[in-house]
Amino acid sequence: MTMQPNRAERVSAPTGSVEFDADVLVLGGGPAGTWAAVSAAERGARVVLADKGFCGTSGATAAAGTGVWYVDPNPALRDAAMANREKLGGHLQDRRWMARVLDRTYEQSNRLAEWGYPYPVDDSGKSQRNSLQGPEYMRLMRKRTKQAGVTILDHSPALELLADDEGAVAGASGIRRQKDDRWTVRAKAVVIATGGCAFLSKTLGSNVLTGDGYLMAAEVGAEFSSMEFSNPYAISAAFGSVTKTLFYGWASFTHEDGSIVPGAASKGGRSAIARALLQGPVYARLDKADDAVQRQMRMSQPNFFLPFDRTGIDPFRDRFPVTLRLEGTVRGTGGLRIVDDSCATSVPGLYAAGDAATRELICGGFTGGGSHNAAWAMSSGTWAGQGAADYARQLGAIGRRKPSPAGTIAFRNRPQRAFAPAALAKAIQTEVFPYELNYFREASRLQGALARLDAAWRDVSEADAASSADLLRAREGAAMLATARWMYRSALTRQESRGMHRRDDFPDQDDRQRHYVTTGGLDEVWTSVRPHAEAAYAEAAE
Amino acid sequence: MIEVVDAASCTSCDICVNVCPTNVFDKTDGIPVIARQSDCQTCFLCELYCPEDALYVSPFADEAQAIDLIALRKADAMGSYRRAIGWTDDTRERRGDDRSYLLFGH
Ligand SMILES: Cc1cc2nc3c(=O)[nH]c(=O)nc-3n(C[C@H](O)[C@H](O)[C@H](O)COP(=O)(O)OP(=O)(O)OC[C@H]3O[C@@H](n4cnc5c(N)ncnc54)[C@H](O)[C@@H]3O)c2cc1C
Ligand code: SF4
Ligand code: SF4
């Protein structure tokens, strides 16, 4: 017998808007959001999922595809998988969380197989489950989300949360950009799964990822963690968007004159590429891949070859110019602070999953390549969906709460000045893209950038409400601006180099700073530090 | 960036309007138009969903490119990504081709 899903209810609304009553509202329809929606629906919740783009093609995974931290449940293998990245991550991971993510990822990947995901079979007949093709995976997730009874709103970016008198989150509202109207969903719990913030750098699939969920959450008082670990840069052909970096492990990198860039490598030598790019162009050629490897590459990542095939470049023989595109918190590890095993945030009724949440618990201060982000999206999505459904059930049939909109920037009438979103986006990029500011960090440079970003925030705080045509862009700009300020304030607070955060003025890791940096605030950005669990135990034992 | 909707093969199904994550296309009475090219994020996903192979995304992410549609058709470039991932009837077996497991950990 199949269970009849509960559906969110469309309620009557004034013209120019649609309204729904739901138990759980999920914002964002990438892997984290779809797993959250399916998991909440499986617990009997009535669920709405709203995506800025199209659930199934939108977000980093759909366009890029991902390796997945899928490890057979063999204790030795699991142990090695956890130990493997601890040094890279600056020993900020938490073993208990790593273990539960490995368990959950294993289970959910196996469900994908049951649902028909076409995993490849190796020569020994074993199904291989540590990689997912983006379009295929997300097409399947859209289908399962619909089958679970979830109401999907496409092209419906959320712009602000609703909160009740006591500050608990009670839904959200946004626009339906292809219908030129507004949507409101009243819900007992909200999952933020809007992905990270890549500052419109055109890294693959990420221009929908502008940190919107962070801004909305900050407006109801949520906190962030590990925002200093937000400066991964990914390699692509200089003209292109395909920032898939695995295959650059087979590349040689050269200067204009053909000489090798010393120390340059995709893994463990990317900073050498950045330094060389500060001097002049850098070229790559995948000349270390033999014929067999070349064939496997083509079968594994067809999108990697699009920029080459379409410009007549043979990447194995010809050298081509490369660049590094900033990915911010998409392959960084910062995000909304998680306070318990259900991925609740510090605000009642608000949950976070995927890149919108911090990945410090399994990645520490480094993700870069590797498969942890995808594993985190699946696992945290599942927990956040379940947690939100349970929270909604506990609230029960509460009487009409008085939800009011929590949005600030771009919603308030301030007659002095108009909102100019395009100029704002450019100004932010000028502060966050340059390698000399963000890749290689140093106190006075960070302070300079931060002062300019703080001034930009004061400017937009005084700006008038954005016109309806500009509202989405204005909110995206404000979200990127807030993200940049949390990022640099946290970067100043961490006076050492650890994980992907490197300070020219503090080149070494400092054992006394094995802690997390928390941040938050909009008009006034603050930071504080929290001990790492193990470091705290060690101190107590002394 | 997206460069062309091939009027000769497009059936005005409007799937591309629906699936483009950055809302680049607009519906019309006839075939969709590329209304906001500079918003295109060069993700190639519209090509995958177009059932007629009527779209071409140039790999240049930051600037528009002049393209020659006749040459693209001749070179079998239209729909090449869709065929590469196994999303056409006669390429289905490619869906399970992923050999990443042999390449990870290099
Ligand atoms: C080129 C590239 C390669 C990668 N490779 C790997 C890899 O090999 N292994 C790995 O583990 N990870 C990898 N990652 C990271 C991985 O893709 C992400 O961690 C993963 O996509 C996170 O899932 P998510 O659901 O949180 O976010 P996303 O997949 O980015 O989805 C977020 C969704 O939220 C929506 N959204 C945004 N704002 C709003 C709003 N205001 N209202 C409503 N919806 C909104 C977006 O439209 C989008 O659909 C890669 C990333 C990139 C860019
Ligand atoms: S998806 Fe293809 S056939 Fe359909 S409207 Fe778009 S271009 Fe035309
Ligand atoms: S390449 Fe991506 S962003 Fe550009 S039009 Fe196609 S689907 Fe839209």
Side-chain angles (χ1 to χ4, degrees), chain A residues 39-276:
Chain A
S39 306
E42 283 173 348
R43 295 230 163 155
R46 300 166 305 146
V47 185
V48 175
L49 181 154
D51 196 282
K52 180 191 279 186
F54 178 82
C55 169
T57 62
S58 201
T61 290
T66 54
V68 181
W69 204 32
Y70 178 93
V71 182
D72 286 329
N74 160 327
L77 289 177
R78 289 273 171 106
D79 222 53
M82 291 193 276
N84 184 280
R85 296 282 286 252
E86 281 179 331
K87 184 154 175 269
L88 264 178
H91 300 278
L92 289 176
Q93 296 91 333
D94 180 321
R95 280 262 172 155
R96 188 179 70 83
W97 276 87
M98 292 168 111
R100 66 194 287 259
V101 165
L102 281 167
D103 282 341
R104 184 56 47 156
T105 302
Y106 184 76
E107 276 168 32
Q108 301 304 57
S109 300
N110 295 343
R111 284 187 82 188
L112 288 173
E114 283 164 33
W115 293 346
Y117 181 86
Y119 283 114
V121 176
D122 70 15
D123 289 344
S124 70
K126 186 171 188 277
S127 170
Q128 287 286 345
R129 302 186 175 170
N130 59 0
S131 167
L132 288 166
Q133 299 290 326
E136 190 80 57
Y137 172 32
M138 292 314 301
R139 181 172 72 171
L140 177 60
M141 288 310 294
R142 179 182 178 89
K143 181 171 126 194
R144 298 302 306 196
T145 302
K146 279 186 149 173
Q147 284 174 351
V150 174
T151 301
I152 298 178
L153 305 177
D154 294 308
H155 293 291
S156 299
L159 296 177
E160 59 181 328
L161 293 174
L162 310 177
D164 71 10
D165 309 342
E166 276 144 40
V169 170
S173 75
I175 52 172
R176 295 198 298 174
R177 62 181 179 182
Q178 295 191 335
K179 301 211 159 86
D180 281 326
D181 62 8
R182 302 204 47 132
W183 61 263
T184 297
V185 176
R186 270 181 280 278
K188 294 174 184 154
V190 173
V191 179
I192 303 263
T194 47
C197 175
F199 299 99
L200 301 176
S201 72
K202 294 204 172 153
T203 189
L204 195 55
S206 298
N207 269 26
V208 288
L209 309 173
T210 44
D212 308 3
Y214 301 153
L215 175 63
M216 292 186 271
E219 285 170 333
V220 296
E223 296 175 355
F224 301 84
S225 191
S226 289
M227 290 301 280
E228 67 278 29
F229 305 120
S230 47
N231 56 342
Y233 285 82
I235 310 172
S236 74
F239 56 85
S241 60
V242 182
T243 41
K244 305 271 299 172
T245 52
L246 179 68
F247 298 169
Y248 288 99
W250 283 265
S252 306
F253 296 92
T254 48
H255 293 292
E256 181 78 71
D257 65 5
S259 61
I260 292 284
V261 177
S266 175
K267 254 196 278 178
R270 216 173 280 179
S271 58
I273 302 174
R275 286 191 206 284

Side-chain angles (χ1 to χ4, degrees), chain A residues 53-54 56-58 62-63 67 118 120-122 128 130-131 133 135-136 139 155 177-178 202 204-208 239-242 246-247 249-250 267 293 296-297 299-300 302-303 306-307 310-311 325 473, chain B residues 1 17-23 25 27 38-45 47-49 56-63 77 79-81 84-87 94-106:
Chain A
F54 178 82
T57 62
S58 201
V121 176
D122 70 15
Q128 287 286 345
N130 59 0
S131 167
Q133 299 290 326
E136 190 80 57
R139 181 172 72 171
H155 293 291
R177 62 181 179 182
Q178 295 191 335
K202 294 204 172 153
L204 195 55
S206 298
N207 269 26
V208 288
F239 56 85
S241 60
V242 182
L246 179 68
F247 298 169
W250 283 265
K267 254 196 278 178
V293 167
Q296 290 154 7
M297 286 176 168
M299 293 169 85
S300 303
N303 56 357
L306 294 172
R310 292 181 178 196
T311 51
R325 291 190 189 266
R473 292 286 180 250
Chain B
M1 294 195 284
V17 181
N18 217 7
V19 301
C20 169
T22 59
N23 197 31
F25 304 95
K27 284 183 198 173
S38 60
D39 285 348
C40 173
Q41 60 172 355
T42 317
C43 67
F44 305 96
L45 277 155
E47 280 191 23
L48 293 181
Y49 278 82
Y56 181 77
V57 178
S58 139
F60 290 86
D62 301 312
E63 57 211 48
S80 63
Y81 183 28
I85 68 157
W87 275 20
R94 292 189 188 159
R95 289 174 63 216
D97 262 3
D98 193 346
R99 291 294 178 274
S100 298
Y101 59 90
L102 296 172
L103 298 167
F104 287 144
H106 169 77

Side-chain angles (χ1 to χ4, degrees), chain A residues 19-35:
Chain A
E19 293 189 19
F20 294 86
D21 258 338
D23 297 315
V24 173
L25 169 62
V26 179
L27 303 179
T34 49
W35 278 110

